Amino acid sequence: EAGVAQSPRYKIIEKRQSVAFWCNPISGHATLYWYQQILGQGPKLLIQFQNNGVVDDSQLPKDRFSAERLKGVDSTLKIQPAKLEDSAVYLCASSLDSGSPLHFGNGTRLTVT
Amino acid sequence: GEDVEQSLFLSVREGDSSVINCTYTDSSSTYLYWYKQEPGAGLQLLTYIFSNMDMKQDQRLTVLLNKKDKHLSLRIADTQTGDSAIYFCAERSPYNQGGKLIFGQGTELSVKP
C-alpha cells in the first residue's frame, strides 16, 4: 500500500510571500488532516476533511491559511501571506474514516525568513 | 479541555527496558495512540489501545492504560539504538466530535550502546 505523499519536502520563502503544499492520501481514505508541527512541539491540527467537506477548521488561521480538497482525494494547503512564526513542518495524514488510525506523510518543512 | 502531557527526555542503555509516560485530560477519549518520529520523517504509528482496555502487547511493545488516573505508558523491551527517536502520545476525541488526534509534546528517547 502506497503511503501518504506530500510535496515539496522543503520550502524556503520570505515573509509576506505565499506558499502551497500538496498532499495525496492513501487510496480509499475518506478522512484527510493537515497538522502543523513547530520545532520541539507535538503536531497541532489545522484542518480535517471528510471526503471534500470540512469537519474541523477551528485552529486554522483563516486570515492567511486556506485549504481545499476538491473531489475528495488530493488536498492543498496555502499560506498567504506567510509570517516568520509559520516556520514549521506541515504534516498531512489520512485515515479510512474518522475512527481509524491516522497514517502520516513525511511532511513539508517550511522556513520563512 | 483537551491536553496531553509527556516528559521531554528519556535516556536508557541498549538492552534495558524503556518506559515512556503520558497523561491526558479528556475522559471521553476513544482511542489512545503511540507514534514514533525519526529525524526528518513523518509520524509512524506504533500501536494504539481502545479506551476500555487496560493493556495491549505487540512484540516488544506493551501499552498500559489507567483510565481512572488518565495515564498511558509505553514500555519498549530490550531497547535498541534504532529505537532512538521522539515518541508521541495522542488521544482521540469521540467520533461525534470529529475524531481528531490531540498530541503531546513528545518524549525524546536516547539509547546509549
Side-chain angles (χ1 to χ4, degrees):
Chain A
E1 172 182 82
V4 176
Q6 290 189 246
S7 67
R9 284 284 279 134
Y10 306 94
K11 191 74 178 179
I12 301 173
I13 61 172
E14 295 182 350
K15 60 183 178 184
R16 290 187 290 272
Q17 286 187 321
S18 62
V19 64
F21 313 126
W22 174 82
C23 173
N24 179 235
I26 293 172
S27 178
H29 280 198
T31 314
L32 185 147
Y33 312 76
W34 283 101
Y35 278 84
Q36 180 193 57
Q37 185 178 20
I38 292 172
L39 187 65
Q41 298 182 18
K44 182 186 82 172
L45 180 70
L46 291 175
I47 188 166
Q48 176 184 341
F49 292 94
Q50 181 72 18
N51 297 308
N52 60 354
V54 175
V55 173
D56 185 344
D57 63 356
S58 57
Q59 304 233 65
L60 188 74
K62 297 180 186 65
D63 57 336
R64 298 183 301 106
F65 285 64
S66 64
E68 60 182 10
R69 192 184 183 197
L70 299 175
K71 301 180 183 177
V73 181
D74 293 3
S75 178
T76 55
L77 176 69
K78 296 179 183 176
I79 308 175
Q80 181 180 11
K83 292 185 174 181
L84 296 177
E85 59 260 35
D86 298 332
S87 293
V89 176
Y90 290 84
L91 294 163
C92 180
S94 70
S95 62
L96 201 57
D97 51 46
S98 56
S100 302
L102 275 66
H103 298 268
F104 283 82
N106 284 329
T108 296
R109 181 176 297 275
L110 174 67
T111 302
V112 182
T113 61
Chain B
E2 304 154 332
D3 197 16
V4 179
E5 297 282 339
Q6 298 178 240
S7 53
L8 295 181
F9 300 101
L10 177 65
S11 180
V12 301
R13 289 275 177 204
E14 191 173 22
D16 287 350
S17 291
S18 308
V19 180
I20 302 172
N21 295 300
C22 169
T23 58
Y24 60 98
T25 56
D26 190 352
S27 57
S28 63
S29 296
T30 54
Y31 287 91
L32 294 126
Y33 295 81
W34 285 104
Y35 281 85
K36 175 183 180 183
Q37 188 175 38
E38 295 181 83
L43 276 70
Q44 173 195 351
L45 176 65
L46 286 179
T47 187
Y48 60 97
I49 188 168
F50 189 48
S51 57
N52 68 354
M53 295 172 63
D54 298 324
M55 187 184 87
K56 181 178 180 181
Q57 187 153 1
D58 184 0
Q59 299 182 333
R60 291 191 298 124
L61 305 178
T62 303
V63 179
L64 294 177
L65 175 61
N66 181 328
K67 197 168 182 181
K68 173 176 167 290
D69 294 338
K70 299 191 185 69
H71 182 265
L72 182 74
S73 68
L74 174 69
R75 178 177 179 269
I76 305 173
D78 187 25
T79 314
Q80 303 298 306
T81 54
D83 295 324
S84 293
I86 300 177
Y87 290 79
F88 290 95
C89 164
E91 62 173 344
R92 190 116 193 222
S93 61
Y95 179 83
N96 60 2
Q97 295 175 24
K100 69 182 179 186
L101 253 60
I102 309 296
F103 286 88
Q105 66 270 52
T107 299
E108 183 175 349
L109 174 64
S110 174
V111 183
K112 300 189 185 320

